[in-house]
Amino acid sequence: MPSCCKLVLSFFLLFFCCMSAFAADPLSGLLRRTLPHNGDAQKFSWTIISTPEDQDFFTVSSDGRKVHIKANNFISAATGINWYLQHKAGVNITWNNPTDRLPTQLPVCAEERHVASVDIRYYLNFCTHSYSMAFWDWKRWQQEIDWMALHGVNLPLIITGMESVWKRVLEEHYGYHNAHQFLTGPAYFGWFFMNNMTGWGGPLPERWFKDRTLLARRIFARLNDYGMTPIVPGYVGMIPCDFLTAATRNVEHWTTHDIVRGGYWNSFERPAFVRNETRLKEFAQHYYAAIERTFGDVLSTHYYAIDPFHEGVVPQGVAQPARAITAMWDALRQYDREAVWVAQHWQHNPTTDLTHSVPQGRLLILNLHGDSHGESVLSGANADAQGRPHKWVWGMTSNFGGNIGLFGRMRRMMESFYAALDQADRQHLAGIGALPEGIEQNPMLYDLLYALPWRTPQYTTETWLHDYIAMRYGVSPANDPATFQALLRVWHTLAEGVYNCSSNNQQGCTESVFMMRPALRPGTVSTWASSSWFWNIDSLRSAVGEFLALSPTLGQKINYRYDLIDFMRQVLADHGKRTLDSLTTITPDGRPALEERFLNLILDQDRLLATLPDFRIGTWTERARMLGHSTAECNLYEQNARMLLTTWGHRDQCDRGGLHDYANREWAGLLSAYYYPRWKAFFNAGGRPLPWFDQFEWAFATGTLSSSVQPHLPPHTPYAFGTFTSRPEGDPLTVAQSLYCKYFRR
């Protein structure tokens, strides 16, 4: 070989080695993205070291010029970086604040060592992918993966792009070309992969599959860089109802007896189910082969999420469900000899059919009841349905439907997890995790949850609040004792009130009455919410007043501004509840003025929330529209986005299925264009219910300004597709101050 060729070859080999080394260390990129100012990213050094210990660990120290991290892997190192940011530097990287700055003087700290008390730190729920993540692009996904790494997550559920696997196996192996009609729209994939529904919200354009396959590949590649292990949907026995009539290849040996109808879920028809175990294993093998062909070079996992018969009975005609589960397991094990079946502990699942069919050590149970029923029969220690003892993950499910509201079980969460940890060996506890239906609200809960396995001694309410105030606002007893004490008083009120729900059965936050289908008495917005006002409304209002008074000191901090708007939103919603209470006792002469006051409260709430992109419906709809390549595609995705928050489905699912307003959001734009017109029409009709679905709800879901809606809209309200914006309006401090004075200072 000529020397010049050797030189060129050497150059390329060196280039690719450097690129591989760079790709293998994701922490440099994480730091550049989260700390992009003043050379802050270069103030960290890290060393990945091997030890004979099995547990994850990190050490952190700082000499005032550089922060030094040692850890056993990149996730532990990223957790160490975040530990320094939060607990030493007063920096809180979170959804509303994905980038920040280090203090001018880097805080010094002696080396301290932290060891994870559990191996698994799990994240996400099928529903999260729909209620919060349905329209994310790579930029937003990259931000979330960085957030996961900083919080020590090493086992996230990823369903992005898996619809392409379904399309591939159906079209390429079976010649089935109705996949676009079988698959749901992008806002509904969570329930498609849980075997609950098909078709609704589609059909998807061909370009969708190309785009999302590329996105999923980037996600899996980045997870590989960090050393995270994704969980992906396994095959759960479902198949299109028209499979036998629409498939054109490789179905000669299938018969009509091989497939049974799946029944219904909240008035949606479920997909069909393959009851013939031989045919089930055959389809499963092709499904896993399609995963391998689509993602095999970037997907590295042995974990598969499989929830047979989720939220429903076994389909009629499946006489022996245990045999179907065994067939699923056999097919999975044939594909991956090291496979782990991951099942949700939700309602009556998993049953003994599952826990007795999957071998011990090959089933991981995700307990969704940790923060609500942690000390009861629904705890993870009993999640095996009296079957074999399997490993389980203690889980927090603090949000349902992506609803907006202050809510949590903070003290109970700590006590329940620590109680489980004390008996971890006997009860086979393997990890901790967050399994919310929606994210990007109540960030405190997530910072606490993912700190729990790394801290010794164990947290108490008092020690956690001290830590959280310092990290959230950069205020400590040393640098500003008066402000710190004021923040501590505010957060004690929150911790003993809205973050101290004692009810087992309340699903997430107490919903704002502004989002109710109008009625004269405060109640729940969604069908299964079980909402209650379990905190002292007056105490919270006073605490928010004290928090507001700190704006001259803290007003330029992003986290303070976000919390101020969120806290003010809650006290205005509470005031709306009391105003509605008053309508049941006021004299007829006083009703018009009180009704007008209630309507003005909704518009003022809208004005408050409009000051931040985090609380605007336009942020949600713009993300949806950005995924489209034509006006028709943009409108399809925005209709998905609007439907999910309002009607959820069509009339049957909305009303008879009970899904209306399940994913309600107290967001600017949604309040004025959707919730306000319902209330105004209700009052104009003398307090009589109206045909809400026909006249108001479906009109909004489809972006059609009907004659029923128009007279009740505030002037200049965006309504049609493409008219909502994420652009903030007004100054959050000024608007919060004016509204607090308007309603609570007389």
Side-chain angles (χ1 to χ4, degrees), residues 65-112:
R65 297 183 303 275
K66 202 113 177 168
V67 181
H68 306 281
I69 307 291
K70 298 176 185 176
N72 66 311
N73 57 45
F74 287 126
I75 294 298
S76 298
T79 311
I81 291 170
N82 199 40
W83 194 271
Y84 180 84
L85 292 176
Q86 292 186 331
H87 299 272
K88 309 301 177 183
V91 172
N92 186 218
I93 300 297
T94 184
W95 296 305
N96 65 277
N97 186 39
T99 66
D100 213 325
R101 300 170 187 264
L102 288 174
T104 304
Q105 179 60 50
L106 202 63
V108 174
C109 69
E111 183 173 281
E112 54 186 61

Side-chain angles (χ1 to χ4, degrees), residues 495-524:
E496 297 303 320
V498 289
Y499 288 119
N500 190 31
C501 179
S502 60
S503 167
N504 288 356
N505 298 317
Q506 177 158 332
Q507 293 193 354
C509 67
T510 297
E511 300 162 313
S512 169
V513 297
F514 298 148
M515 282 104 73
M516 285 171 53
R517 272 183 168 177
L520 288 177
R521 292 184 180 277
T524 60

Side-chain angles (χ1 to χ4, degrees), residues 220-237:
F220 290 136
R222 180 58 56 82
L223 297 181
N224 283 343
D225 291 344
Y226 275 121
M228 288 187 206
T229 301
I231 302 172
V232 297
Y235 182 62
V236 74

